[in-house]
Amino acid sequence: MPSKPIENLMDDHRLIEKVLAAMRRYASALQSGEPVERASIEGLVPFMREFADDCHHGKEEHRLFPMLVERGLPARNGPIQAMCAEHEIGRRLVGDLENAVGRHLDGHADTAGELAATMVAIADFYARHIWKEDNVLFPMADRVLGADEVAGLIAAFDKADGRAGVASRERFVRFARGLVESSDRQNPI
Ligand SMILES: [Fe+2]
Ligand SMILES: [Fe+2]
């Protein structure tokens, strides 16, 4: 079983995956010329920036990774550097998403295809990133972290979760759940 801090990061991954799944649904709707709720599209960039990046990548980059380096994992030329480089790519993709959402919601012509392609690129990219952390880096982390470090991470992550955005992690949980529910309404099973 993963330690509590690793479980916390994996819970974040499951929440991010809900939003990635919504992006894939929106992309196929846009490609078929169907409308997508404005509020859902507007919430994607704040979610990816404030939750996936500031809060979640923050916990990894500022808390977990430095501890792993202290425990002997290489800071460079290894999985930690690779994951940090991927976070940078993710930031650039979210910048592309912001531009594509802005153009689409401003009513510029022929923007649905660009927006759909950006959403699919983000969903594909993050799915691979999350897989690597869940299956390679996190099991490695649980092999090297000691009890004191685990306790330190639990406290640090609690603080980060409370600080995410203006309110708390709950705001992002509600957003992700809302996307799932609105898709159920649009596509009743
Ligand atoms: Fe990451
Ligand atoms: Fe992650």
Side-chain angles (χ1 to χ4, degrees):
M1 239 184 68
S3 65
K4 267 220 163 307
I6 295 301
E7 217 170 56
N8 173 294
L9 295 173
M10 286 176 151
D11 285 348
D12 289 351
H13 285 173
R14 303 295 80 81
L15 196 62
I16 293 166
E17 281 168 346
K18 281 191 176 42
V19 177
L20 301 179
M23 283 197 225
R24 287 189 195 281
R25 289 194 301 273
Y26 299 158
S28 58
L30 289 164
Q31 278 156 347
S32 332
E34 293 162 26
V36 177
E37 281 177 24
R38 188 182 177 99
S40 304
I41 293 185
E42 277 173 338
L44 295 174
V45 170
F47 177 90
M48 293 307 290
R49 219 162 246 162
E50 294 170 38
F51 181 71
D53 197 20
D54 291 350
C55 175
H56 176 75
H57 292 163
K59 286 188 274 188
E60 291 174 345
E61 287 183 10
H62 304 310
R63 301 293 178 181
L64 177 67
F65 295 173
M67 245 175 215
L68 296 179
V69 170
E70 270 176 37
R71 297 292 296 180
L73 262 68
R76 300 179 65 79
N77 301 319
I80 291 176
Q81 188 179 26
M83 293 303 99
C84 289
E86 290 192 3
H87 291 172
E88 279 304 322
I89 296 170
R91 283 170 196 131
R92 282 203 295 278
L93 284 172
V94 173
D96 293 346
L97 179 67
E98 184 173 38
N99 293 334
V101 166
R103 279 194 289 275
H104 187 69
L105 294 181
D106 284 349
H108 289 272
D110 303 326
T111 53
E114 180 204 9
L115 179 55
T118 311
M119 286 177 176
V120 171
I122 290 185
D124 287 349
F125 174 80
Y126 272 102
R128 287 194 299 272
H129 179 75
I130 284 173
W131 190 92
K132 289 177 210 169
E133 289 182 342
D134 281 353
N135 293 284
V136 181
L137 186 62
F138 290 173
M140 205 182 272
D142 265 340
R143 283 196 293 276
V144 299
L145 291 175
D148 283 357
E149 287 148 332
V150 166
L153 284 174
I154 291 171
F157 287 3
D158 278 351
K159 206 169 154 202
D161 287 340
R163 216 187 42 215
V166 188
S168 70
R169 190 178 189 283
E170 275 311 301
R171 182 158 70 96
F172 297 105
V173 172
R174 279 197 301 276
F175 172 74
R177 279 203 192 124
L179 295 186
V180 174
E181 281 158 16
S182 83
S183 135
D184 288 347
R185 278 199 307 277
Q186 282 167 23
N187 306 298
I189 299 166

Short mmCIF file of all heavy atoms in Angstrom, two decimals, residues 13 56-57 60-61 65 83-84 86-87 126 129-130 133 137-138, ligand 1:
data_model
loop_
_atom_site.label_atom_id
_atom_site.label_comp_id
_atom_site.label_asym_id
_atom_site.label_seq_id
_atom_site.Cartn_x
_atom_site.Cartn_y
_atom_site.Cartn_z
N HIS A 13 -4.05 12.86 -8.83
CA HIS A 13 -4.01 12.33 -10.21
C HIS A 13 -5.40 11.88 -10.66
O HIS A 13 -5.80 12.13 -11.79
CB HIS A 13 -3.03 11.15 -10.31
CG HIS A 13 -1.59 11.57 -10.28
ND1 HIS A 13 -0.56 10.67 -10.23
CD2 HIS A 13 -1.01 12.80 -10.32
CE1 HIS A 13 0.60 11.32 -10.23
NE2 HIS A 13 0.34 12.62 -10.28
N HIS A 56 -0.68 20.76 -7.08
CA HIS A 56 -0.16 19.38 -7.21
C HIS A 56 1.33 19.35 -7.60
O HIS A 56 2.14 18.70 -6.93
CB HIS A 56 -1.01 18.59 -8.20
CG HIS A 56 -0.49 17.23 -8.45
ND1 HIS A 56 -0.63 16.22 -7.52
CD2 HIS A 56 0.22 16.70 -9.47
CE1 HIS A 56 -0.04 15.13 -7.98
NE2 HIS A 56 0.49 15.39 -9.17
N HIS A 57 1.68 20.04 -8.68
CA HIS A 57 3.10 20.06 -9.04
C HIS A 57 3.91 20.74 -7.94
O HIS A 57 5.08 20.41 -7.73
CB HIS A 57 3.32 20.81 -10.37
CG HIS A 57 2.75 20.09 -11.55
ND1 HIS A 57 2.53 20.70 -12.75
CD2 HIS A 57 2.36 18.81 -11.71
CE1 HIS A 57 2.02 19.83 -13.61
NE2 HIS A 57 1.90 18.68 -12.99
N GLU A 60 4.84 18.20 -5.49
CA GLU A 60 5.90 17.33 -6.01
C GLU A 60 7.25 18.07 -6.05
O GLU A 60 8.26 17.58 -5.53
CB GLU A 60 5.52 16.85 -7.41
CG GLU A 60 4.34 15.88 -7.38
CD GLU A 60 3.82 15.48 -8.76
OE1 GLU A 60 4.17 16.16 -9.77
OE2 GLU A 60 3.07 14.52 -8.84
N GLU A 61 7.25 19.24 -6.67
CA GLU A 61 8.53 19.93 -6.92
C GLU A 61 9.14 20.53 -5.65
O GLU A 61 10.36 20.54 -5.49
CB GLU A 61 8.34 21.05 -7.94
CG GLU A 61 8.14 20.54 -9.35
CD GLU A 61 8.03 21.67 -10.37
OE1 GLU A 61 8.30 22.84 -10.02
OE2 GLU A 61 7.66 21.37 -11.51
N PHE A 65 10.13 15.98 -4.24
CA PHE A 65 11.37 15.78 -4.99
C PHE A 65 12.61 16.16 -4.17
O PHE A 65 13.59 15.40 -4.16
CB PHE A 65 11.33 16.54 -6.33
CG PHE A 65 10.28 16.06 -7.32
CD1 PHE A 65 10.03 16.75 -8.49
CD2 PHE A 65 9.53 14.91 -7.07
CE1 PHE A 65 9.06 16.32 -9.40
CE2 PHE A 65 8.55 14.46 -7.96
CZ PHE A 65 8.31 15.18 -9.14
N MET A 83 10.67 14.51 -14.67
CA MET A 83 9.32 14.94 -14.28
C MET A 83 9.22 16.46 -14.22
O MET A 83 8.22 17.04 -14.63
CB MET A 83 8.92 14.33 -12.92
CG MET A 83 8.74 12.83 -12.92
SD MET A 83 7.52 12.19 -14.10
CE MET A 83 8.56 11.66 -15.46
N CYS A 84 10.29 17.13 -13.74
CA CYS A 84 10.27 18.60 -13.70
C CYS A 84 10.21 19.17 -15.12
O CYS A 84 9.50 20.15 -15.38
CB CYS A 84 11.49 19.15 -12.96
SG CYS A 84 11.43 18.83 -11.19
N GLU A 86 8.88 17.74 -17.63
CA GLU A 86 7.51 17.52 -18.13
C GLU A 86 6.54 18.54 -17.54
O GLU A 86 5.60 18.96 -18.20
CB GLU A 86 7.06 16.08 -17.84
CG GLU A 86 7.81 15.07 -18.71
CD GLU A 86 7.23 13.67 -18.70
OE1 GLU A 86 6.18 13.43 -18.05
OE2 GLU A 86 7.83 12.79 -19.34
N HIS A 87 6.76 18.93 -16.29
CA HIS A 87 5.89 19.98 -15.71
C HIS A 87 6.00 21.26 -16.55
O HIS A 87 5.00 21.95 -16.75
CB HIS A 87 6.28 20.27 -14.26
CG HIS A 87 5.97 19.15 -13.32
ND1 HIS A 87 6.38 19.14 -12.00
CD2 HIS A 87 5.28 17.99 -13.49
CE1 HIS A 87 5.96 18.02 -11.42
NE2 HIS A 87 5.29 17.31 -12.31
N TYR A 126 -0.70 14.53 -20.19
CA TYR A 126 -0.82 14.30 -18.75
C TYR A 126 -1.08 12.84 -18.42
O TYR A 126 -0.66 12.36 -17.36
CB TYR A 126 -1.89 15.21 -18.14
CG TYR A 126 -1.29 16.54 -17.73
CD1 TYR A 126 -1.47 17.67 -18.51
CD2 TYR A 126 -0.51 16.64 -16.59
CE1 TYR A 126 -0.89 18.88 -18.16
CE2 TYR A 126 0.07 17.84 -16.23
CZ TYR A 126 -0.13 18.95 -17.02
OH TYR A 126 0.46 20.13 -16.66
N HIS A 129 2.32 11.37 -18.27
CA HIS A 129 3.06 11.90 -17.11
C HIS A 129 2.58 11.21 -15.83
O HIS A 129 3.39 10.76 -15.00
CB HIS A 129 2.86 13.42 -17.03
CG HIS A 129 3.55 14.05 -15.87
ND1 HIS A 129 4.92 14.26 -15.84
CD2 HIS A 129 3.08 14.50 -14.69
CE1 HIS A 129 5.24 14.82 -14.68
NE2 HIS A 129 4.14 14.98 -13.97
N ILE A 130 1.28 11.15 -15.68
CA ILE A 130 0.69 10.55 -14.47
C ILE A 130 1.06 9.07 -14.38
O ILE A 130 1.39 8.56 -13.31
CB ILE A 130 -0.85 10.77 -14.49
CG1 ILE A 130 -1.18 12.22 -14.12
CG2 ILE A 130 -1.56 9.79 -13.56
CD1 ILE A 130 -2.64 12.60 -14.27
N GLU A 133 4.59 8.70 -13.02
CA GLU A 133 4.71 8.96 -11.58
C GLU A 133 4.07 7.83 -10.77
O GLU A 133 4.67 7.33 -9.81
CB GLU A 133 4.07 10.30 -11.24
CG GLU A 133 4.91 11.46 -11.78
CD GLU A 133 4.36 12.83 -11.45
OE1 GLU A 133 3.17 12.94 -11.09
OE2 GLU A 133 5.12 13.80 -11.55
N LEU A 137 8.00 6.56 -10.41
CA LEU A 137 8.60 7.44 -9.40
C LEU A 137 8.01 7.22 -8.01
O LEU A 137 8.75 7.18 -7.02
CB LEU A 137 8.45 8.91 -9.82
CG LEU A 137 9.18 9.88 -8.91
CD1 LEU A 137 10.68 9.64 -8.89
CD2 LEU A 137 8.89 11.33 -9.30
N PHE A 138 6.68 7.09 -7.91
CA PHE A 138 6.07 6.98 -6.58
C PHE A 138 6.46 5.68 -5.86
O PHE A 138 6.80 5.72 -4.66
CB PHE A 138 4.55 7.14 -6.66
CG PHE A 138 4.09 8.55 -7.00
CD1 PHE A 138 2.76 8.81 -7.25
CD2 PHE A 138 4.99 9.61 -7.06
CE1 PHE A 138 2.32 10.09 -7.56
CE2 PHE A 138 4.56 10.90 -7.38
CZ PHE A 138 3.22 11.14 -7.63
FE FE B 1 4.23 15.56 -11.86
#
